[in-house]
Each structure stands twice: as C-alpha cells, then as structure tokens.
mmCIF file of all heavy atoms in Angstrom:
data_model
loop_
_atom_site.group_PDB
_atom_site.id
_atom_site.type_symbol
_atom_site.label_atom_id
_atom_site.label_comp_id
_atom_site.label_asym_id
_atom_site.label_seq_id
_atom_site.Cartn_x
_atom_site.Cartn_y
_atom_site.Cartn_z
ATOM 1 N N LYS A 211 -9.421 28.065 -52.590
ATOM 2 C CA LYS A 211 -10.587 27.316 -53.053
ATOM 3 C C LYS A 211 -11.703 28.258 -53.463
ATOM 4 O O LYS A 211 -12.404 28.026 -54.465
ATOM 5 C CB LYS A 211 -11.074 26.379 -51.946
ATOM 6 C CG LYS A 211 -12.187 25.447 -52.388
ATOM 7 C CD LYS A 211 -12.541 24.464 -51.283
ATOM 8 C CE LYS A 211 -13.629 23.499 -51.747
ATOM 9 N NZ LYS A 211 -13.967 22.520 -50.678
ATOM 10 N N ALA A 212 -11.874 29.346 -52.724
ATOM 11 C CA ALA A 212 -12.909 30.328 -53.046
ATOM 12 C C ALA A 212 -12.635 31.003 -54.386
ATOM 13 O O ALA A 212 -13.570 31.410 -55.093
ATOM 14 C CB ALA A 212 -12.998 31.372 -51.932
ATOM 15 N N ARG A 213 -11.347 31.093 -54.740
ATOM 16 C CA ARG A 213 -10.991 31.709 -56.034
ATOM 17 C C ARG A 213 -11.035 30.704 -57.177
ATOM 18 O O ARG A 213 -10.679 31.016 -58.299
ATOM 19 C CB ARG A 213 -9.595 32.325 -55.940
ATOM 20 C CG ARG A 213 -9.524 33.550 -55.027
ATOM 21 C CD ARG A 213 -8.242 34.338 -55.265
ATOM 22 N NE ARG A 213 -7.054 33.552 -54.946
ATOM 23 C CZ ARG A 213 -6.456 33.582 -53.763
ATOM 24 N NH1 ARG A 213 -6.948 34.336 -52.789
ATOM 25 N NH2 ARG A 213 -5.375 32.861 -53.552
ATOM 26 N N GLY A 214 -11.431 29.445 -56.856
ATOM 27 C CA GLY A 214 -11.587 28.450 -57.901
ATOM 28 C C GLY A 214 -10.411 27.526 -58.100
ATOM 29 O O GLY A 214 -10.412 26.717 -59.044
ATOM 30 N N ALA A 215 -9.418 27.608 -57.229
ATOM 31 C CA ALA A 215 -8.256 26.717 -57.357
ATOM 32 C C ALA A 215 -8.673 25.294 -57.008
ATOM 33 O O ALA A 215 -9.498 25.074 -56.120
ATOM 34 C CB ALA A 215 -7.133 27.186 -56.441
ATOM 35 N N ARG A 216 -8.096 24.320 -57.707
ATOM 36 C CA ARG A 216 -8.411 22.917 -57.477
ATOM 37 C C ARG A 216 -7.494 22.370 -56.385
ATOM 38 O O ARG A 216 -6.280 22.385 -56.515
ATOM 39 C CB ARG A 216 -8.243 22.107 -58.764
ATOM 40 C CG ARG A 216 -8.656 20.651 -58.619
ATOM 41 C CD ARG A 216 -8.479 19.917 -59.934
ATOM 42 N NE ARG A 216 -8.848 18.512 -59.814
ATOM 43 C CZ ARG A 216 -8.736 17.633 -60.802
ATOM 44 N NH1 ARG A 216 -8.262 18.028 -61.986
ATOM 45 N NH2 ARG A 216 -9.091 16.381 -60.616
ATOM 46 N N LEU A 217 -8.094 21.893 -55.313
ATOM 47 C CA LEU A 217 -7.335 21.347 -54.195
ATOM 48 C C LEU A 217 -7.586 19.851 -54.080
ATOM 49 O O LEU A 217 -8.513 19.317 -54.674
ATOM 50 C CB LEU A 217 -7.744 22.033 -52.885
ATOM 51 C CG LEU A 217 -7.641 23.564 -52.861
ATOM 52 C CD1 LEU A 217 -8.150 24.097 -51.536
ATOM 53 C CD2 LEU A 217 -6.213 24.017 -53.107
ATOM 54 N N GLY A 218 -6.766 19.187 -53.283
ATOM 55 C CA GLY A 218 -6.982 17.756 -53.037
ATOM 56 C C GLY A 218 -5.982 16.887 -53.764
ATOM 57 O O GLY A 218 -5.173 17.344 -54.570
ATOM 58 N N ASN A 219 -6.080 15.610 -53.518
ATOM 59 C CA ASN A 219 -5.170 14.615 -54.072
ATOM 60 C C ASN A 219 -5.763 14.034 -55.348
ATOM 61 O O ASN A 219 -6.826 13.403 -55.312
ATOM 62 C CB ASN A 219 -4.948 13.503 -53.044
ATOM 63 C CG ASN A 219 -3.888 12.512 -53.506
ATOM 64 O OD1 ASN A 219 -3.415 12.585 -54.627
ATOM 65 N ND2 ASN A 219 -3.520 11.603 -52.628
ATOM 66 N N PRO A 220 -5.133 14.221 -56.506
ATOM 67 C CA PRO A 220 -5.680 13.723 -57.774
ATOM 68 C C PRO A 220 -5.476 12.231 -57.994
ATOM 69 O O PRO A 220 -5.967 11.693 -58.971
ATOM 70 C CB PRO A 220 -4.909 14.550 -58.813
ATOM 71 C CG PRO A 220 -3.583 14.799 -58.164
ATOM 72 C CD PRO A 220 -3.886 14.967 -56.693
ATOM 73 N N ARG A 221 -4.739 11.559 -57.121
ATOM 74 C CA ARG A 221 -4.497 10.140 -57.340
ATOM 75 C C ARG A 221 -5.796 9.346 -57.238
ATOM 76 O O ARG A 221 -6.679 9.673 -56.470
ATOM 77 C CB ARG A 221 -3.505 9.595 -56.313
ATOM 78 C CG ARG A 221 -2.103 10.172 -56.406
ATOM 79 C CD ARG A 221 -1.217 9.469 -55.391
ATOM 80 N NE ARG A 221 0.161 9.913 -55.458
ATOM 81 C CZ ARG A 221 0.641 10.929 -54.759
ATOM 82 N NH1 ARG A 221 -0.163 11.597 -53.953
ATOM 83 N NH2 ARG A 221 1.901 11.288 -54.869
ATOM 84 N N ASN A 222 -5.874 8.256 -57.984
ATOM 85 C CA ASN A 222 -7.055 7.400 -57.874
ATOM 86 C C ASN A 222 -6.959 6.542 -56.617
ATOM 87 O O ASN A 222 -5.947 6.533 -55.926
ATOM 88 C CB ASN A 222 -7.228 6.539 -59.137
ATOM 89 C CG ASN A 222 -6.040 5.618 -59.373
ATOM 90 O OD1 ASN A 222 -5.425 5.137 -58.432
ATOM 91 N ND2 ASN A 222 -5.742 5.378 -60.646
ATOM 92 N N ALA A 223 -8.023 5.818 -56.320
ATOM 93 C CA ALA A 223 -8.099 5.065 -55.064
ATOM 94 C C ALA A 223 -7.010 4.008 -54.971
ATOM 95 O O ALA A 223 -6.436 3.779 -53.906
ATOM 96 C CB ALA A 223 -9.476 4.412 -54.948
ATOM 97 N N ARG A 224 -6.693 3.332 -56.104
ATOM 98 C CA ARG A 224 -5.666 2.289 -56.075
ATOM 99 C C ARG A 224 -4.301 2.871 -55.744
ATOM 100 O O ARG A 224 -3.557 2.313 -54.942
ATOM 101 C CB ARG A 224 -5.624 1.575 -57.421
ATOM 102 C CG ARG A 224 -4.583 0.451 -57.484
ATOM 103 C CD ARG A 224 -4.635 -0.273 -58.804
ATOM 104 N NE ARG A 224 -5.925 -0.906 -59.020
ATOM 105 C CZ ARG A 224 -6.256 -1.567 -60.139
ATOM 106 N NH1 ARG A 224 -5.377 -1.669 -61.126
ATOM 107 N NH2 ARG A 224 -7.453 -2.115 -60.264
ATOM 108 N N GLU A 225 -3.972 4.005 -56.367
ATOM 109 C CA GLU A 225 -2.685 4.644 -56.091
ATOM 110 C C GLU A 225 -2.608 5.125 -54.652
ATOM 111 O O GLU A 225 -1.568 5.011 -53.987
ATOM 112 C CB GLU A 225 -2.461 5.804 -57.052
ATOM 113 C CG GLU A 225 -2.237 5.370 -58.498
ATOM 114 C CD GLU A 225 -2.197 6.553 -59.438
ATOM 115 O OE1 GLU A 225 -2.853 7.577 -59.126
ATOM 116 O OE2 GLU A 225 -1.520 6.473 -60.468
ATOM 117 N N ALA A 226 -3.718 5.654 -54.145
ATOM 118 C CA ALA A 226 -3.754 6.135 -52.767
ATOM 119 C C ALA A 226 -3.568 4.985 -51.784
ATOM 120 O O ALA A 226 -2.866 5.110 -50.776
ATOM 121 C CB ALA A 226 -5.071 6.860 -52.491
ATOM 122 N N ALA A 227 -4.204 3.849 -52.088
ATOM 123 C CA ALA A 227 -4.066 2.681 -51.211
ATOM 124 C C ALA A 227 -2.633 2.176 -51.211
ATOM 125 O O ALA A 227 -2.087 1.807 -50.165
ATOM 126 C CB ALA A 227 -5.016 1.583 -51.661
ATOM 127 N N ALA A 228 -2.007 2.151 -52.402
ATOM 128 C CA ALA A 228 -0.612 1.706 -52.496
ATOM 129 C C ALA A 228 0.297 2.632 -51.719
ATOM 130 O O ALA A 228 1.232 2.188 -51.041
ATOM 131 C CB ALA A 228 -0.185 1.650 -53.965
ATOM 132 N N LEU A 229 0.042 3.925 -51.794
ATOM 133 C CA LEU A 229 0.839 4.893 -51.053
ATOM 134 C C LEU A 229 0.675 4.679 -49.555
ATOM 135 O O LEU A 229 1.646 4.742 -48.795
ATOM 136 C CB LEU A 229 0.420 6.313 -51.434
ATOM 137 C CG LEU A 229 1.151 7.449 -50.714
ATOM 138 C CD1 LEU A 229 2.642 7.404 -51.016
ATOM 139 C CD2 LEU A 229 0.571 8.809 -51.118
ATOM 140 N N GLY A 230 -0.570 4.401 -49.144
ATOM 141 C CA GLY A 230 -0.822 4.155 -47.724
ATOM 142 C C GLY A 230 -0.067 2.939 -47.213
ATOM 143 O O GLY A 230 0.503 2.961 -46.122
ATOM 144 N N ARG A 231 -0.044 1.858 -48.012
ATOM 145 C CA ARG A 231 0.697 0.659 -47.622
ATOM 146 C C ARG A 231 2.188 0.939 -47.535
ATOM 147 O O ARG A 231 2.879 0.426 -46.645
ATOM 148 C CB ARG A 231 0.416 -0.480 -48.604
ATOM 149 C CG ARG A 231 -0.992 -1.066 -48.493
ATOM 150 C CD ARG A 231 -1.095 -2.344 -49.290
ATOM 151 N NE ARG A 231 -0.910 -2.123 -50.718
ATOM 152 C CZ ARG A 231 -1.894 -1.835 -51.571
ATOM 153 N NH1 ARG A 231 -3.138 -1.724 -51.124
ATOM 154 N NH2 ARG A 231 -1.638 -1.655 -52.852
ATOM 155 N N SER A 232 2.685 1.747 -48.466
ATOM 156 C CA SER A 232 4.101 2.089 -48.458
ATOM 157 C C SER A 232 4.467 2.868 -47.201
ATOM 158 O O SER A 232 5.509 2.624 -46.584
ATOM 159 C CB SER A 232 4.447 2.914 -49.701
ATOM 160 O OG SER A 232 5.790 3.357 -49.661
ATOM 161 N N VAL A 233 3.605 3.797 -46.815
ATOM 162 C CA VAL A 233 3.847 4.594 -45.608
ATOM 163 C C VAL A 233 3.832 3.705 -44.376
ATOM 164 O O VAL A 233 4.679 3.840 -43.479
ATOM 165 C CB VAL A 233 2.802 5.714 -45.481
ATOM 166 C CG1 VAL A 233 2.892 6.401 -44.113
ATOM 167 C CG2 VAL A 233 2.983 6.750 -46.588
ATOM 168 N N GLN A 234 2.870 2.769 -44.309
ATOM 169 C CA GLN A 234 2.788 1.863 -43.170
ATOM 170 C C GLN A 234 4.040 0.995 -43.061
ATOM 171 O O GLN A 234 4.553 0.752 -41.969
ATOM 172 C CB GLN A 234 1.544 0.982 -43.291
ATOM 173 C CG GLN A 234 0.235 1.730 -43.069
ATOM 174 C CD GLN A 234 -0.974 0.841 -43.264
ATOM 175 O OE1 GLN A 234 -0.866 -0.270 -43.781
ATOM 176 N NE2 GLN A 234 -2.135 1.313 -42.853
ATOM 177 N N THR A 235 4.525 0.511 -44.224
ATOM 178 C CA THR A 235 5.729 -0.312 -44.226
ATOM 179 C C THR A 235 6.934 0.487 -43.740
ATOM 180 O O THR A 235 7.747 0.003 -42.945
ATOM 181 C CB THR A 235 6.003 -0.856 -45.637
ATOM 182 O OG1 THR A 235 4.896 -1.663 -46.052
ATOM 183 C CG2 THR A 235 7.282 -1.694 -45.665
ATOM 184 N N GLU A 236 7.044 1.724 -44.207
ATOM 185 C CA GLU A 236 8.164 2.578 -43.801
ATOM 186 C C GLU A 236 8.115 2.851 -42.298
ATOM 187 O O GLU A 236 9.151 2.821 -41.619
ATOM 188 C CB GLU A 236 8.125 3.899 -44.568
ATOM 189 C CG GLU A 236 9.294 4.827 -44.234
ATOM 190 C CD GLU A 236 9.250 6.116 -45.025
ATOM 191 O OE1 GLU A 236 8.478 6.191 -46.002
ATOM 192 O OE2 GLU A 236 9.984 7.048 -44.667
ATOM 193 N N GLU A 237 6.915 3.098 -41.769
ATOM 194 C CA GLU A 237 6.779 3.357 -40.339
ATOM 195 C C GLU A 237 7.144 2.121 -39.521
ATOM 196 O O GLU A 237 7.794 2.224 -38.472
ATOM 197 C CB GLU A 237 5.345 3.793 -40.015
ATOM 198 C CG GLU A 237 5.000 5.189 -40.533
ATOM 199 C CD GLU A 237 3.584 5.587 -40.200
ATOM 200 O OE1 GLU A 237 2.810 4.707 -39.744
ATOM 201 O OE2 GLU A 237 3.245 6.766 -40.379
ATOM 202 N N ALA A 238 6.721 0.940 -40.014
ATOM 203 C CA ALA A 238 7.040 -0.305 -39.307
ATOM 204 C C ALA A 238 8.547 -0.547 -39.295
ATOM 205 O O ALA A 238 9.115 -0.966 -38.277
ATOM 206 C CB ALA A 238 6.315 -1.475 -39.958
ATOM 207 N N GLU A 239 9.213 -0.287 -40.419
ATOM 208 C CA GLU A 239 10.660 -0.473 -40.493
ATOM 209 C C GLU A 239 11.386 0.528 -39.599
ATOM 210 O O GLU A 239 12.391 0.196 -38.969
ATOM 211 C CB GLU A 239 11.127 -0.336 -41.947
ATOM 212 C CG GLU A 239 10.663 -1.481 -42.839
ATOM 213 C CD GLU A 239 11.062 -1.290 -44.283
ATOM 214 O OE1 GLU A 239 11.541 -0.185 -44.613
ATOM 215 O OE2 GLU A 239 10.890 -2.234 -45.080
ATOM 216 N N ARG A 240 10.879 1.752 -39.544
ATOM 217 C CA ARG A 240 11.490 2.763 -38.681
ATOM 218 C C ARG A 240 11.353 2.376 -37.214
ATOM 219 O O ARG A 240 12.295 2.512 -36.431
ATOM 220 C CB ARG A 240 10.853 4.130 -38.931
ATOM 221 C CG ARG A 240 11.483 5.254 -38.114
ATOM 222 C CD ARG A 240 11.037 6.627 -38.585
ATOM 223 N NE ARG A 240 9.644 6.866 -38.320
ATOM 224 C CZ ARG A 240 8.710 7.058 -39.251
ATOM 225 N NH1 ARG A 240 9.037 6.996 -40.523
ATOM 226 N NH2 ARG A 240 7.459 7.295 -38.926
ATOM 227 N N PHE A 241 10.175 1.876 -36.849
ATOM 228 C CA PHE A 241 9.963 1.452 -35.464
ATOM 229 C C PHE A 241 10.890 0.295 -35.116
ATOM 230 O O PHE A 241 11.500 0.269 -34.044
ATOM 231 C CB PHE A 241 8.503 1.044 -35.266
ATOM 232 C CG PHE A 241 8.178 0.621 -33.851
ATOM 233 C CD1 PHE A 241 7.913 1.566 -32.882
ATOM 234 C CD2 PHE A 241 8.137 -0.717 -33.506
ATOM 235 C CE1 PHE A 241 7.634 1.182 -31.577
ATOM 236 C CE2 PHE A 241 7.854 -1.115 -32.210
ATOM 237 C CZ PHE A 241 7.594 -0.155 -31.243
ATOM 238 N N ALA A 242 11.013 -0.664 -36.033
ATOM 239 C CA ALA A 242 11.893 -1.818 -35.791
ATOM 240 C C ALA A 242 13.338 -1.356 -35.623
ATOM 241 O O ALA A 242 14.069 -1.871 -34.763
ATOM 242 C CB ALA A 242 11.776 -2.807 -36.948
ATOM 243 N N ALA A 243 13.758 -0.381 -36.422
ATOM 244 C CA ALA A 243 15.129 0.123 -36.325
ATOM 245 C C ALA A 243 15.370 0.793 -34.977
ATOM 246 O O ALA A 243 16.488 0.744 -34.445
ATOM 247 C CB ALA A 243 15.402 1.106 -37.469
ATOM 248 N N ASN A 244 14.341 1.415 -34.411
ATOM 249 C CA ASN A 244 14.482 2.069 -33.111
ATOM 250 C C ASN A 244 14.519 1.071 -31.963
ATOM 251 O O ASN A 244 15.216 1.276 -30.970
ATOM 252 C CB ASN A 244 13.321 3.051 -32.883
ATOM 253 C CG ASN A 244 13.469 4.322 -33.695
ATOM 254 O OD1 ASN A 244 14.583 4.737 -33.989
ATOM 255 N ND2 ASN A 244 12.362 4.928 -34.067
ATOM 256 N N VAL A 245 13.750 -0.023 -32.090
ATOM 257 C CA VAL A 245 13.665 -0.998 -31.003
ATOM 258 C C VAL A 245 14.833 -1.969 -31.023
ATOM 259 O O VAL A 245 15.268 -2.456 -29.957
ATOM 260 C CB VAL A 245 12.331 -1.777 -31.078
ATOM 261 C CG1 VAL A 245 12.268 -2.852 -29.992
ATOM 262 C CG2 VAL A 245 11.153 -0.834 -30.912
ATOM 263 N N LEU A 246 15.363 -2.265 -32.196
ATOM 264 C CA LEU A 246 16.418 -3.273 -32.303
ATOM 265 C C LEU A 246 17.611 -3.002 -31.384
ATOM 266 O O LEU A 246 18.089 -3.929 -30.721
ATOM 267 C CB LEU A 246 16.888 -3.391 -33.758
ATOM 268 C CG LEU A 246 17.922 -4.501 -34.027
ATOM 269 C CD1 LEU A 246 17.367 -5.857 -33.630
ATOM 270 C CD2 LEU A 246 18.343 -4.488 -35.490
ATOM 271 N N PRO A 247 18.131 -1.756 -31.293
ATOM 272 C CA PRO A 247 19.254 -1.530 -30.361
ATOM 273 C C PRO A 247 18.893 -1.840 -28.914
ATOM 274 O O PRO A 247 19.751 -2.278 -28.139
ATOM 275 C CB PRO A 247 19.569 -0.036 -30.548
ATOM 276 C CG PRO A 247 19.070 0.286 -31.919
ATOM 277 C CD PRO A 247 17.837 -0.542 -32.077
ATOM 278 N N VAL A 248 17.635 -1.620 -28.540
ATOM 279 C CA VAL A 248 17.200 -1.940 -27.183
ATOM 280 C C VAL A 248 17.253 -3.451 -26.961
ATOM 281 O O VAL A 248 17.721 -3.928 -25.923
ATOM 282 C CB VAL A 248 15.772 -1.406 -26.925
ATOM 283 C CG1 VAL A 248 15.331 -1.726 -25.494
ATOM 284 C CG2 VAL A 248 15.695 0.094 -27.176
ATOM 285 N N ILE A 249 16.777 -4.210 -27.957
ATOM 286 C CA ILE A 249 16.810 -5.672 -27.856
ATOM 287 C C ILE A 249 18.248 -6.178 -27.802
ATOM 288 O O ILE A 249 18.576 -7.090 -27.032
ATOM 289 C CB ILE A 249 16.049 -6.304 -29.040
ATOM 290 C CG1 ILE A 249 14.554 -5.978 -28.934
ATOM 291 C CG2 ILE A 249 16.259 -7.818 -29.077
ATOM 292 C CD1 ILE A 249 13.724 -6.529 -30.070
ATOM 293 N N LEU A 250 19.123 -5.577 -28.609
ATOM 294 C CA LEU A 250 20.528 -5.993 -28.605
ATOM 295 C C LEU A 250 21.173 -5.736 -27.241
ATOM 296 O O LEU A 250 21.985 -6.549 -26.768
ATOM 297 C CB LEU A 250 21.295 -5.248 -29.705
ATOM 298 C CG LEU A 250 20.914 -5.608 -31.148
ATOM 299 C CD1 LEU A 250 21.685 -4.758 -32.139
ATOM 300 C CD2 LEU A 250 21.152 -7.085 -31.418
ATOM 301 N N SER A 251 20.809 -4.615 -26.608
ATOM 302 C CA SER A 251 21.364 -4.335 -25.282
ATOM 303 C C SER A 251 20.837 -5.330 -24.249
ATOM 304 O O SER A 251 21.557 -5.720 -23.324
ATOM 305 C CB SER A 251 21.012 -2.901 -24.862
ATOM 306 O OG SER A 251 19.639 -2.763 -24.589
ATOM 307 N N ILE A 252 19.584 -5.749 -24.433
ATOM 308 C CA ILE A 252 19.011 -6.769 -23.539
ATOM 309 C C ILE A 252 19.740 -8.087 -23.715
ATOM 310 O O ILE A 252 20.098 -8.766 -22.745
ATOM 311 C CB ILE A 252 17.500 -6.932 -23.828
ATOM 312 C CG1 ILE A 252 16.736 -5.683 -23.382
ATOM 313 C CG2 ILE A 252 16.938 -8.171 -23.124
ATOM 314 C CD1 ILE A 252 15.277 -5.677 -23.802
ATOM 315 N N GLN A 253 19.993 -8.459 -24.970
ATOM 316 C CA GLN A 253 20.705 -9.706 -25.243
ATOM 317 C C GLN A 253 22.141 -9.658 -24.727
ATOM 318 O O GLN A 253 22.667 -10.658 -24.240
ATOM 319 C CB GLN A 253 20.681 -9.997 -26.748
ATOM 320 C CG GLN A 253 19.293 -10.347 -27.281
ATOM 321 C CD GLN A 253 19.278 -10.508 -28.785
ATOM 322 O OE1 GLN A 253 19.991 -9.787 -29.500
ATOM 323 N NE2 GLN A 253 18.467 -11.429 -29.286
ATOM 324 N N SER A 254 22.763 -8.486 -24.834
ATOM 325 C CA SER A 254 24.147 -8.363 -24.352
ATOM 326 C C SER A 254 24.237 -8.509 -22.841
ATOM 327 O O SER A 254 25.304 -8.802 -22.300
ATOM 328 C CB SER A 254 24.737 -7.014 -24.778
ATOM 329 O OG SER A 254 24.071 -5.950 -24.118
ATOM 330 N N ALA A 255 23.098 -8.299 -22.158
ATOM 331 C CA ALA A 255 23.061 -8.465 -20.706
ATOM 332 C C ALA A 255 22.850 -9.928 -20.314
ATOM 333 O O ALA A 255 22.710 -10.244 -19.129
ATOM 334 C CB ALA A 255 21.967 -7.599 -20.109
#
C-alpha cells in the first residue's frame, strides 16, 4: 500500500451483499449436513 498498490475488494455493495448471503447459505447447509447424522442416530434409537 505504501508503494501505491491498490488493495481492497473492488466489488460494489450489491455484489458484496450477494456474496455474503451466498456464504451464509453455504455455512447453514454445511452445519445441517454435520447435524443430520446425529439426528438420524437419535431416530434410529
């Protein structure tokens, strides 16, 4: 940055918000995939 290089995210606010929603959805799906086997084991009991 001191040498004048441009840093940061060039995306506009709308694109950044869409990316944030996508990340949240992916995290929610990953969490569900981790918990589902636990629920299935509970049901099998």
